[in-house]
Amino acid sequence: MRQILYLFAALWLLASCEQSKTQTETVSEEFPFFIPAEKPDRPLSAAVARNYDNYEAIRPEQTELYTQFKYTKLKGFDYNGGDGTVTRRDPSKVIFENGKYYVWYTGRKTPVKSVGMKNAKLANDTIPSSDWDLSDIWYATSEDGFTWEEQGIAVHRPEKPTPGWRSVTTTDILKFKGKYYLYFQAFMEASGLRGDFCPVSVAWADSPDGPWHHTGKIVIPNGPEGSWDQYSIHDPYPLVHDGKVYIYYKGDFDKRPELRPSKIRMQGLAIAEDPLGPFVKHPLNPVINSGHETTLFPFKEGVAAIVQRDGQEHNTIQYAKDWVNFEIASITELLPIAAGPFVPDAFTDTKDGRGITWGISHIINAGGDWSKNHTILLRFDCDLSQDVDDQGMKDHHMYYSPEFHYTHRLSGKQKQRIAEETKKLKEQTAK
Ligand code: AAL
């Protein structure tokens, strides 16, 4: 009896070996139905190899630095019927102090709407050129992040010729050793006269409610003639890393009127021991090759960036383990513009950044009518956090309505080109 049992066992073992051999053979011939968690030891196409080599996970929904973005209208801000005389744009990071949230932003309340950068020559002391000309830095607070109460001007335009006399804009907040610092673009000419030229200046306060002391100094100067940031230092964005102040900023350069958009936009880094400087620009600048406004947050031991609007790598979330050399972590869509996230560990000098789940962003031309151009603030939510696992934010199969698509319409010139192409085709085939 025992012998028969041994015989059965041996036969079963043989059969299962045969079966697993067939399975392995099948697997080695075809890419498996269940995608292997580890990079398989077999020839792979460049695309599939990249899926393993370049990303944290093989699926976006398992990638911590992948998210979709959801948007909510903010309560509490009035835009004068959207007539173009009131704008709120380029929000700072959101911080939580004194039991409430704070945000700072470019605020313009002018007697007339802006004439546009192309008509900058028509601008004067009361007529703004761009949407951000003749602006001050305003702030608002909120109990819940959805309803905001505007508190007034935090930093006024200083007297001429102090940097910023024409406009103080696009601010961001730093808290360092118990003091608060607002960095901002300090315009000394109407935007559009030569470009969007400005350096960065700073104001400080002992409380987020002020009073703010405008240093009147340029803290991140434009680069030397011929360098990428010789004209524009935009969107200064401070974080604390290694006990130092790291400010990422955007530069506009290589303008070529024959191309659209005519400028290249990249982002650089300037580092200082003290918030008032001196700031030393990183020798590898620019460190991000795309994007428009700057949005970054500590993530694990490195820093992550939301890269939107411009450049080869727009619509990506990027990551730099060493805070300098950025790689694409994920590709996504409908990214928040000029996002100022709530970054609880922005200033804690963390070595394990937890990430972000919401913030304030903006939409330009909010009324869809450029002749009344103004910008509104809105809330975005996402899951770029180590502590939240919201599968509802990890979708990658987005739906946009027909109306949304049709707002991206052909121009008259494009319609004409298409008609000519068809005409040519008809002529060729008629011969
Ligand atoms: C933005 C920012 C800067 C530019 C202008 C106002 O959204 O990149 O601030 O100067 O546009």
Side-chain angles (χ1 to χ4, degrees):
M1 182 64 188
R2 186 173 283 180
Q3 273 166 338
I4 295 175
L5 270 179
Y6 281 145
L7 188 69
F8 269 122
L11 282 174
W12 175 81
L13 207 70
L14 202 71
S16 55
C17 280
E18 274 304 304
Q19 198 190 346
S20 76
K21 207 171 135 209
T22 339
Q23 270 173 1
T24 329
E25 272 161 17
T26 318
V27 165
S28 71
E29 276 163 24
E30 303 290 337
F31 192 75
F33 177 78
F34 290 107
I35 187 161
E38 298 299 322
K39 193 177 179 186
D41 183 18
R42 50 162 284 158
L44 292 173
S45 65
V48 174
R50 196 163 61 239
N51 219 22
Y52 286 99
D53 298 339
N54 293 23
Y55 301 99
E56 178 199 334
I58 45 182
R59 312 166 85 111
E61 58 271 34
Q62 291 173 324
T63 304
E64 271 184 309
L65 283 180
Y66 173 77
T67 189
Q68 285 291 339
F69 296 93
K70 316 266 177 185
Y71 294 92
T72 311
K73 195 171 178 176
L74 294 181
K75 288 190 186 143
F77 291 125
D78 176 68
Y79 290 91
N80 212 24
D83 65 358
T85 60
V86 176
T87 217
R88 290 184 189 86
R89 53 179 297 145
D90 292 297
S92 69
K93 283 186 283 296
V94 174
I95 64 167
F96 188 77
E97 295 282 314
N98 308 322
K100 54 194 175 211
Y101 297 111
Y102 283 74
V103 70
W104 290 260
Y105 46 88
T106 304
R108 178 176 60 78
K109 294 187 182 178
T110 42
V112 290
K113 57 193 186 182
S114 58
V115 289
M117 285 177 83
K118 281 191 201 133
N119 301 317
K121 284 200 181 105
L122 303 176
N124 60 25
D125 289 351
T126 48
I127 304 177
S129 63
S130 63
D131 188 33
W132 54 94
D133 190 25
L134 295 179
S135 294
D136 302 286
I137 294 166
W138 290 68
Y139 80 115
T141 58
S142 171
E143 295 291 331
D144 62 2
F146 290 91
T147 300
W148 292 82
E149 208 178 309
E150 190 154 77
Q151 301 294 341
I153 295 182
V155 182
H156 290 262
R157 271 170 280 158
E159 290 293 308
K160 201 171 177 176
T162 307
W165 65 265
R166 178 71 201 183
S167 200
V168 286
T169 81
T170 326
T171 193
D172 210 334
I173 184 82
L174 167 74
K175 186 178 180 184
F176 195 81
K177 296 188 180 161
K179 281 195 163 49
Y180 299 82
Y181 299 84
L182 282 172
Y183 296 88
F184 50 85
Q185 296 182 198
F187 283 97
M188 288 166 276
E189 61 184 41
S191 227
L193 282 178
R194 294 183 300 156
D196 196 19
F197 297 0
C198 61
V200 164
S201 184
V202 61
W204 63 270
D206 289 313
S207 147
D209 292 301
W212 291 91
H213 308 278
H214 192 322
T215 60
K217 296 213 171 85
I218 291 172
V219 73
I220 307 182
N222 298 100
E225 210 184 317
S227 61
W228 75 288
D229 60 357
Q230 68 175 327
Y231 298 132
S232 313
I233 309 275
H234 292 167
D235 304 88
Y237 190 99
L239 291 171
V240 174
H241 177 55
D242 270 351
K244 298 183 188 120
V245 182
Y246 272 50
I247 294 192
Y248 294 88
Y249 64 92
K250 179 251 279 174
D252 275 1
F253 60 114
D254 196 358
K255 188 171 176 182
R256 303 205 188 186
E258 72 279 15
L259 296 177
R260 261 186 78 193
S262 77
K263 290 182 251 181
I264 290 220
R265 295 188 168 96
M266 295 195 187
Q267 299 174 29
L269 168 63
I271 302 172
E273 305 272 344
D274 187 283
L276 299 182
F279 278 88
V280 178
K281 293 183 184 174
H282 199 279
L284 291 184
N285 278 352
V287 294
I288 295 181
N289 67 13
S290 301
H292 192 111
E293 295 91 358
T294 48
T295 303
L296 300 100
F297 53 92
F299 197 75
K300 299 186 175 165
E301 69 262 62
V303 68
I306 294 180
V307 179
Q308 39 79 35
R309 273 183 100 188
D310 288 306
Q312 290 282 35
E313 296 178 358
H314 67 284
N315 288 359
T316 60
I317 315 283
Q318 306 210 1
Y319 182 62
K321 204 171 170 179
D322 64 358
W323 292 65
V324 172
N325 290 288
F326 287 83
E327 303 281 356
I328 296 174
S330 73
I331 299 164
T332 182
E333 57 204 299
L334 213 62
L335 282 76
I337 305 296
F342 173 48
V343 191
D345 51 12
F347 316 129
T348 60
D349 201 358
T350 176
K351 298 286 174 265
D352 186 21
R354 306 311 300 175
I356 59 164
T357 58
W358 70 278
I360 308 293
S361 60
H362 80 201
I363 295 191
I364 60 168
N365 192 19
D369 173 356
W370 284 107
S371 76
K372 294 179 183 169
N373 184 24
H374 68 287
T375 303
I376 57 161
L377 300 179
L378 68 163
R379 174 179 167 121
F380 69 91
D381 281 83
C382 61
D383 177 6
L384 292 169
S385 160
Q386 291 201 66
D387 302 320
V388 169
D389 185 18
D390 183 348
Q391 284 298 304
M393 293 289 187
K394 297 284 179 179
D395 212 347
H396 42 92
H397 189 81
M398 290 292 280
Y399 170 77
Y400 298 107
S401 66
E403 291 71 35
F404 176 85
H405 283 78
Y406 297 141
T407 55
H408 298 83
R409 61 183 82 84
L410 289 165
S411 68
K413 208 173 153 194
Q414 285 164 331
K415 283 186 185 157
Q416 199 184 332
R417 171 183 55 74
I418 294 163
E420 278 162 18
E421 279 164 11
T422 307
K423 197 173 150 216
K424 217 189 272 169
L425 198 65
K426 284 185 180 172
E427 283 166 5
Q428 278 166 356
T429 49
K431 276 179 200 160

